[in-house]
Amino acid sequence: MNINKIAIVFIFCCIGQIICAHTGGHGSELRNWSIVGEQGSVFQASFLLYKNDMVFFENREGEILKYPFSSLAFKDQNHVLERHSGIASLNLQNPSEKLFGHKRNLPFYLSIALGMLLLICLIIRPKRSRSFKIPVNAIALLFVSSVFVTCSEDRNIGNLNDFPSVPANDMENMGSHFGQFTGVVTSFDDTYFYVSSPGFPEHNMMEGITAWNRQVPIPQDYSGDNSWAIPIQPVLADEPLSLSEHFMKGAIAIAVNGIPIFNPLNNRGEDTKLIGELDEWGGHAGRADDYHYHIPPVHLEATVGANSPIAYALDGFPVYGKTTDELDEFFGKFNDDGSYQYHSIDDYPYFIPKMRGTVSLDPNTTAPEDQIWPQALSTPLRQVSAPSLSNGSISFGPTGTNAYTLAYQDENGNDIATIHYDWDDTGLYTFQYVAADGAGTIETYQGFAWQGEGSGSSDFTLSSVAVDENGALLDDYKCEEKVNGSEASIPLAWSNVPEGVNSLAIIMHHYPFPDDTSEINSYLLLWGIDPSITEIPHGGADDGDWFMGANKDGTAVSYTSPCSQGTGSHEYTITLYGLSETPPTLPQTNSVDVTYDVLVDAISSVTVIDKATLTFNDVN
């Protein structure tokens, strides 16, 4: 065979290899996937596609399977998003990158040029020309050399992220920072360091806000599969994403006290601190009544120390307070051991103008309102339809165990809106709204139950000798017989009435249908009780220096004793309210017109300093 023909074929093969070769395979590995809520539901398949909240798989037999994204276990969701993000990044590359596998450089294009030149020389080469042989050999040598360099660089480029240039996080060290705060629990696996918390800080909140969105802070269930996830091995990003163009939804970091930190810009692109939306600690309550920071909480240095991180960004790098060291464009610096850390500054953008580390994006969000994934999610409890307020001031603080009051006043000190709210150990939240004219309403919601330090404290307690140690009503106090049309009331006693209480009120209620809280039966309605009184003896509810409302049927002024029919357990709750005053809308006499709704509305028109509850069961 002619040597020229052999050379031409060889050169064509080399050029084809240069153009088409790229690192990485085309298939997807078989792995085990778990379905949440289905005992033992594990299947083996390879990932194919994530689209419209559905994930498609191919099993070993070639069958196509599909499951909702939300049905997958937390770790499997992360794997899907990582694969999805990788595919999406390839689709976003320019056509030449998609064809060649990655960006090309000078040796690549030089190899192509030399190869084409060598082909031309071989094709037009005279059969007998010694002077032509020398430059052809030189071009051939350069071509082979450039092919070697190109292929070598191709292998190196494909593995940039396989060997991160920063060390992994120290799990024990991270745990020690978060472990200094109540309610914050940490764990980790091979990929992530997880932070569980109630999202409720030990410091006070909301004071210093002038622009108020009518939300209040309540605990959030950031635990289990809804924990915060911080990468154990951070990876430097090839193209860091700017916070002015991304991440205006969700958190970008988690403070060491378990509180998420959002973008300093709100979803309208406004500096939240500059427009008065943040309190003295750099946070506020969001649309889910979730408390979060928008600027780094440098006040935490008082607890953790100036040389310890105050937060960890969701790209895996720690966040520190202010420093005099020289910082890069990401407001961070490398340390001698190769690790990287962010720092805070006084003015916008306050910290992290761009995410120095690689992050995955939630595919269901779009920039600028996209968010980092995985991301713990808050749970909305109520919808606030009233417009936001501006140019005022907030006073906020605990009024008892799991009880708070927020008052918003205008620049002249006039009350505009007040919210009293609390929750019990079952997660039943009660919101009392008081308008500027004193009119009030009460709403209840079922939400996350959290009991812990930092959620307010009170020794105000209510008890009854009619309830045994297991929380059941004793038989002697059930189905009381009527005497002169009245039943003997349940004995009650209380202690530690808080300062500022000028009047007490009592409501005993029961939900006949536990799954439907819209229907309520009331059994005892009292108001105008002097705070010096500490008990009501058995049968004494209608014989004191206070006032009584209607019985359960609304037919008389009296107490109604529990007399549940059928088998099972029936729950009753007695609430003792410590009020700033006796509600002026109530009559100063016994009245059958005062029903449960009337008394609740009246209580909402004054300040609830504190309240104590007693819950018991009538068991048949």
Side-chain angles (χ1 to χ4, degrees):
M1 180 181 290
N2 188 299
I3 189 66
N4 279 357
K5 292 182 179 179
I6 296 176
I8 291 172
V9 171
F10 172 75
I11 294 169
F12 269 119
C13 291
C14 289
I15 294 175
Q17 174 67 18
I18 296 172
I19 293 176
C20 298
H22 62 276
T23 59
H26 296 275
S28 179
E29 79 281 6
L30 286 168
R31 68 189 301 272
N32 290 329
W33 305 83
S34 300
I35 302 298
V36 175
E38 297 184 16
Q39 186 68 27
S41 182
V42 177
F43 65 95
Q44 189 177 68
S46 59
F47 169 75
L48 290 180
L49 176 67
Y50 175 38
K51 185 176 183 181
N52 297 331
D53 202 38
M54 295 298 295
V55 186
F56 296 82
F57 306 91
E58 182 179 6
N59 64 16
R60 189 181 298 275
E61 290 72 33
E63 299 172 326
I64 304 300
L65 311 174
K66 67 176 182 178
Y67 291 93
F69 177 79
S70 58
S71 70
L72 298 178
F74 187 61
K75 294 180 181 179
D76 292 340
Q77 290 182 359
N78 293 337
H79 186 80
V80 166
L81 290 175
E82 289 171 0
R83 292 299 309 277
H84 178 82
S85 298
I87 295 171
S89 65
L90 287 176
N91 291 335
L92 289 173
Q93 293 174 354
N94 63 48
S96 64
E97 290 177 37
K98 291 166 68 175
L99 173 63
F100 301 143
H102 54 70
K103 293 181 180 179
R104 298 304 185 175
N105 47 27
L106 181 60
F108 167 78
Y109 295 109
L110 182 61
S111 299
I112 300 298
L114 289 171
M116 297 303 296
L117 179 60
L118 188 57
L119 282 174
I120 294 173
C121 290
L122 291 174
I123 293 172
I124 66 172
R125 174 184 180 179
K127 291 185 178 181
R128 298 186 181 185
S129 174
R130 291 182 174 272
S131 61
F132 200 75
K133 184 177 181 180
I134 296 176
V136 169
N137 289 341
I139 294 173
L141 180 62
L142 289 174
F143 173 68
V144 172
S145 299
S146 63
V147 168
F148 177 79
V149 172
T150 299
C151 293
S152 175
E153 292 199 359
D154 182 78
R155 288 192 296 273
N156 292 334
I157 291 174
N159 291 323
L160 277 176
N161 287 334
D162 292 342
F163 302 97
S165 58
V166 290
N169 283 310
D170 183 330
M171 300 297 95
E172 183 176 350
N173 187 42
M174 289 180 72
S176 67
H177 301 313
F178 288 97
Q180 299 181 63
F181 296 91
T182 301
V184 182
V185 179
T186 60
S187 61
F188 58 90
D189 58 21
D190 293 338
T191 306
Y192 290 106
F193 181 88
Y194 299 102
V195 179
S196 299
S197 84
F200 212 71
E202 295 176 296
H203 62 70
N204 199 18
M205 297 166 278
M206 305 302 286
E207 293 183 352
I209 291 174
T210 58
W212 181 44
N213 59 3
R214 296 183 185 265
Q215 308 287 156
V216 296
I218 65 172
Q220 299 291 324
D221 189 9
Y222 299 135
S223 64
D225 286 347
N226 196 45
S227 299
W228 296 100
I230 303 168
I232 293 175
Q233 176 61 74
V235 177
L236 296 172
D238 292 333
E239 297 182 4
L241 299 176
S242 169
L243 268 68
S244 64
E245 300 174 353
H246 292 274
F247 315 134
M248 293 182 190
K249 180 179 181 180
I252 60 171
I254 177 72
V256 290
N257 64 347
I259 305 300
I261 308 175
F262 283 36
N263 194 320
L265 301 178
N266 61 22
N267 60 359
R268 301 183 300 276
E270 301 166 321
D271 181 347
T272 50
K273 181 181 179 181
L274 184 64
I275 64 176
E277 290 187 350
L278 303 185
D279 60 22
E280 297 173 4
W281 300 269
H284 70 178
R287 290 300 179 185
D289 288 321
D290 56 308
Y291 186 81
H292 55 260
Y293 303 121
H294 276 271
I295 60 176
V298 293
H299 55 85
L300 294 180
E301 285 187 324
T303 301
V304 301
N307 296 320
S308 296
I310 57 175
Y312 278 82
L314 296 186
D315 62 2
F317 294 121
V319 180
Y320 286 74
K322 291 178 285 187
T323 182
T324 57
D325 294 344
E326 183 178 354
L327 302 177
D328 59 23
E329 62 178 305
F330 311 103
F331 293 179
K333 65 173 186 176
F334 286 97
N335 299 308
D336 292 340
D337 62 354
S339 62
Y340 186 83
Q341 63 189 50
Y342 295 110
H343 280 273
S344 311
I345 65 171
D346 288 327
D347 301 315
Y348 178 83
Y350 309 107
F351 76 139
I352 315 182
K354 294 182 179 180
M355 295 298 288
R356 188 67 182 89
T358 299
V359 293
S360 296
L361 299 179
D362 181 352
N364 297 314
T365 60
T366 305
E369 285 192 78
D370 50 2
Q371 66 179 350
I372 298 172
W373 196 264
Q375 175 96 199
L377 302 176
S378 56
T379 304
L381 189 68
R382 62 196 179 105
Q383 295 293 327
V384 176
S385 57
S388 299
L389 299 167
S390 59
N391 301 321
S393 62
I394 284 177
S395 62
F396 177 84
T399 56
T401 302
N402 303 328
Y404 291 84
T405 291
L406 184 149
Y408 186 85
Q409 298 178 325
D410 64 19
E411 55 188 3
N412 297 319
N414 300 314
D415 287 341
I416 297 177
T418 302
I419 299 179
H420 310 288
Y421 69 101
D422 60 80
W423 64 93
D424 62 21
D425 55 6
T426 68
L428 181 66
Y429 285 74
T430 302
F431 288 81
Q432 303 178 48
Y433 305 96
V434 183
D437 60 2
T441 58
I442 291 183
E443 297 175 0
T444 59
Y445 303 89
Q446 191 64 45
F448 168 56
W450 178 66
Q451 307 291 322
E453 296 178 23
S455 60
S457 61
S458 174
D459 296 324
F460 191 31
T461 57
L462 176 66
S463 62
S464 174
V465 295
V467 179
D468 69 17
E469 60 184 8
N470 297 316
L473 184 65
L474 298 174
D475 290 342
D476 291 344
Y477 301 92
K478 301 177 183 179
C479 303
E480 297 272 7
E481 294 185 6
K482 290 185 178 181
V483 178
N484 297 325
S486 297
E487 301 173 35
S489 60
I490 186 172
L492 297 172
W494 55 88
S495 60
N496 301 313
V497 176
E499 290 187 21
V501 172
N502 293 307
S503 180
L504 299 169
I506 294 175
I507 295 177
M508 175 177 166
H509 74 274
H510 163 64
Y511 296 108
F513 306 103
D515 295 332
D516 181 9
T517 58
S518 63
E519 184 172 346
I520 302 175
N521 290 336
S522 59
Y523 296 77
L524 179 63
L525 303 172
L526 301 176
W527 68 94
I529 304 172
D530 191 277
S532 63
I533 295 172
T534 59
E535 66 174 332
I536 297 177
H538 185 208
D542 57 352
D543 188 28
D545 190 19
W546 52 76
F547 313 107
M548 177 179 278
N551 62 7
K552 171 178 171 288
D553 299 323
T555 56
V557 173
S558 68
Y559 165 80
T560 304
S561 62
C563 194
S564 302
Q565 303 300 311
T567 60
S569 179
H570 304 265
E571 187 175 87
Y572 294 78
T573 299
I574 305 175
T575 306
L576 175 65
Y577 295 88
L579 307 176
S580 60
E581 60 179 313
T582 299
T585 56
L586 294 173
Q588 300 299 297
T589 182
N590 295 342
S591 174
V592 72
D593 294 329
V594 178
T595 61
Y596 172 87
D597 290 336
V598 170
L599 184 52
V600 166
D601 287 344
I603 289 174
S604 71
S605 67
V606 298
T607 300
V608 178
I609 304 299
D610 201 352
K611 67 181 185 179
T613 59
L614 171 64
T615 300
F616 62 88
N617 293 296
D618 179 6
V619 182
N620 294 329

